[in-house]
Amino acid sequence: MTDTPHHITAPQRLDHPNRADHLDSPERVKERDRKRRRLLILIVSVVVVSAFVKLISLLFFSNTVSTDNAYVGAETANISAMINGQVIAVKVSDTQQVKRGDVLLILDPSDANIAVAQAQAQLAKAQRQFNQSSANIDGLNAQLLVSQDDILRAKAQVVQAEVHLERIAAEFNRRLKLSQSGAISKEELATAQSAYNSARADIEVAKAGLTQAESKRNAAQSTLNASKALIEGTTQANLPDILVAKAQLKQAQLDLQRTVIRAPLDGVVTRRDVQVGQRLAPGVTVMMIVPVSKLYVDANFKESQLQRVRVGQSVILTADLYGSRIKYSGKVMGLSGGTGSAFALIPAQNASGNWIKVVQRLPVRIQLNPQQLAEHPLRVGLSMNATIELNSKQ
C-alpha cells in the first residue's frame, strides 16, 4: 500500500515535464526587458533624428526653392531675305560661329542694279524739269509783257476804227439826204453805203483783235501762275517731285544692299535651310543664329514655391551637361505673366465636371553670368537645375 502513491505520482511528473517552463524565469524577463529597451531606444532615435532633420531643414533649406524643370533659352535671330532674289552664294554652314556683320549669303544683284539706274534717271529728270520750269517763268513773264502790248495796240485799233466809222457815218448820212433831193446818183449812195458797212466791220475786227489779245494775256498769266505754283518758294532740295525721286533712289540702293545678307548678332548658325540657286521670297526664314553668349534659363517652379520669389534674387544653377561640379550664378529677371497651361495651344478646361486639381508651374526667367557661359558654354534646350536663394539681395 505504501508503494502505490509513489507509483501514481511518478506518472504525473512524467505527464508534465515542462510545466515549470510556463512560468517566467528571471532570464526570460531580463531578455524581454532588453528587447523593450532596444525598441524604445529605436523609436526615440527615429523621433530625434526626424526632429533634427526638420530643424536642419528649417535652418538651412527653408530659404531656398529648387526645381529641375528648367531649360536653357535664347532670343534667337531668324534670318530671312527682305527682297526677292536668287541665291548665288552661301557663306556659312550649320554650327558655324559668326560675328555681327559677317556675310551669310548673297542674292543676285542684277535686278537691284537696274532699279538703281532707273531711280537715278528719274531723279535727273525731276531736277531738269525744275530747271526748265524756272526758265519758263522768265519766258512767261516776257510773253505776258508782249500780250499787254498787243492789248494796247488792239485798243488803239478799236479807237481808230470807231473814229473812222463816225466819219464814214457822217458822210453816208449827208449823201443819204442828198439822194432824197436827187442831188447825187444812186451809185454814189451805194458807194457811201459800202464804205459805212466796211467801217462797221472794221470795228468788229478791231474788237475781236482786242478780245484775242486779252485772251492771250489771260492764258499767259494762267500758265505763269501754274508754273509759279509748282516751284514758287521751293528749291531742288525741297521740291516734292525731287524728294520723291530721291526717296525712290534710296529705296533702290537699300534693296541693292539687301542682296548681301549679314549676321545681325554674334552667335552660332543653326537650322540652315538654303542652297545656291534657290529663289527666296521676302520673310521666309532660311537659317537661325543663336546668341550663345546671351543665354538665359526658364525655370518652371511650382506655384507653391513662388510666394517669396522676387526679381533680383540670386540663383545657383547646374547643368546636366556638366554635372553638379560646375555651378553657374544667376539672377531672377522676372516671372512670366501666366502658367504654361494657360498659354498652351489647347488650354485646360477646368470648368468640366471631371476636374482634378493639378499643381501649376510658372516660368521664372533667370539671367546667366556671361563669363561663366564663356568658360562653360551651353546650348538652347539643355536641362538645368535651379535653386533660388530667397534671402539674397533683391
Side-chain angles (χ1 to χ4, degrees):
M1 294 298 290
T2 57
D3 296 331
T4 301
H6 297 283
H7 182 71
I8 293 174
T9 57
Q12 290 177 349
R13 290 193 298 270
L14 293 173
D15 291 338
H16 303 280
N18 297 323
R19 179 174 293 181
D21 295 339
H22 293 279
L23 300 176
D24 288 338
S25 64
E27 291 78 7
R28 291 176 60 85
V29 172
K30 291 180 180 180
E31 182 65 24
R32 188 164 56 251
D33 291 341
R34 283 194 298 270
K35 289 182 179 179
R36 288 177 180 175
R37 283 195 299 270
R38 284 197 297 266
L39 180 60
L40 181 60
I41 292 172
L42 179 60
I43 294 173
V44 172
S45 300
V46 171
V47 173
V48 171
V49 170
S50 299
F52 181 75
V53 171
K54 183 65 175 177
L55 179 62
I56 294 298
S57 176
L58 290 175
L59 291 177
F60 298 100
F61 299 102
S62 62
N63 293 324
T64 62
V65 289
S66 302
T67 183
D68 59 356
N69 189 349
Y71 304 92
V72 179
E75 301 292 342
T76 58
N78 293 330
I79 306 302
S80 61
M82 300 187 70
I83 60 172
N84 288 305
Q86 187 177 22
V87 179
I88 60 174
V90 180
K91 300 294 186 178
V92 296
S93 58
D94 274 337
T95 72
Q96 182 175 337
Q97 188 87 24
V98 295
K99 297 291 184 180
R100 180 178 181 180
D102 288 351
V103 176
L104 303 178
L105 56 92
I106 301 175
L107 305 180
D108 186 0
S110 301
D111 294 339
N113 285 325
I114 293 174
V116 169
Q118 290 176 341
Q120 289 173 339
Q122 289 294 334
L123 177 59
K125 180 179 179 181
Q127 292 172 339
R128 185 166 54 252
Q129 287 177 345
F130 174 81
N131 295 332
Q132 183 178 357
S133 297
S134 299
N136 286 341
I137 289 178
D138 296 335
L140 290 172
N141 283 323
Q143 185 178 350
L144 191 61
L145 294 175
V146 173
S147 298
Q148 191 67 30
D149 293 339
D150 292 341
I151 290 174
L152 294 176
R153 188 180 304 108
K155 286 181 178 180
Q157 290 176 351
V158 169
V159 172
Q160 182 179 1
E162 289 175 347
V163 172
H164 180 67
L165 176 61
E166 289 178 358
R167 183 174 60 80
I168 295 298
E171 184 67 22
F172 174 69
N173 291 330
R174 187 178 65 80
R175 290 182 180 277
L176 182 61
K177 290 179 180 180
L178 291 175
S179 66
Q180 291 176 353
S181 61
I184 61 172
S185 63
K186 293 182 177 180
E187 290 79 9
E188 289 182 3
L189 181 62
T191 301
Q193 180 72 41
S194 267
Y196 175 72
N197 292 337
S198 177
R200 292 183 61 186
D202 289 341
I203 287 180
E204 296 300 327
V205 171
K207 289 182 178 180
L210 176 61
T211 302
Q212 184 178 8
E214 290 176 345
S215 298
K216 288 182 178 180
R217 192 269 313 272
N218 293 336
Q221 185 66 52
S222 297
T223 304
L224 177 62
N225 293 336
S227 298
K228 285 183 176 180
L230 288 175
I231 65 173
E232 188 174 14
T234 62
T235 62
Q236 286 194 2
N238 58 13
L239 185 70
D241 290 344
I242 293 179
L243 292 177
V244 171
K246 287 182 177 180
Q248 292 174 346
L249 177 59
K250 289 182 179 179
Q251 182 64 55
Q253 292 172 338
L254 182 60
D255 290 342
L256 179 59
Q257 293 177 1
R258 287 172 174 170
T259 58
V260 179
I261 300 177
R262 300 179 181 273
L265 45 78
D266 299 348
V268 175
V269 176
T270 185
R271 295 180 62 183
R272 198 203 82 173
D273 187 20
V274 60
Q275 303 295 334
V276 174
Q278 182 177 347
R279 187 166 187 83
L280 301 183
V284 177
T285 300
V286 296
M287 67 181 71
M288 298 174 63
I289 297 180
V290 179
V292 293
S293 62
K294 298 181 180 179
L295 301 178
Y296 57 80
V297 172
D298 281 332
N300 302 302
F301 284 92
K302 296 178 181 179
E303 53 188 323
S304 57
Q305 297 176 301
L306 298 174
Q307 181 179 3
R308 297 172 57 193
V309 174
R310 299 290 184 271
V311 174
Q313 290 175 338
S314 299
V315 187
I316 302 299
L317 304 105
T318 59
D320 291 357
L321 176 64
Y322 299 109
S324 59
R325 64 185 181 85
I326 302 298
K327 289 182 171 56
Y328 297 86
S329 60
K331 182 180 294 185
V332 175
M333 297 174 60
L335 283 71
S336 175
T339 63
S341 61
F343 295 128
L345 185 61
I346 303 178
Q349 298 297 323
N350 294 334
S352 59
N354 60 350
W355 172 76
I356 299 175
K357 182 175 181 179
V358 178
V359 177
Q360 300 298 315
R361 290 182 178 268
L362 189 73
V364 176
R365 180 67 57 86
I366 300 171
Q367 181 182 6
L368 293 172
N369 189 316
Q371 183 177 357
Q372 294 174 341
L373 277 176
E375 295 174 356
H376 303 286
L378 296 172
R379 291 296 184 267
V380 173
L382 292 179
S383 299
M384 302 287 290
N385 297 283
T387 300
I388 299 178
E389 298 177 347
L390 300 178
N391 286 341
S392 58
K393 184 179 180 180
Q394 300 179 7

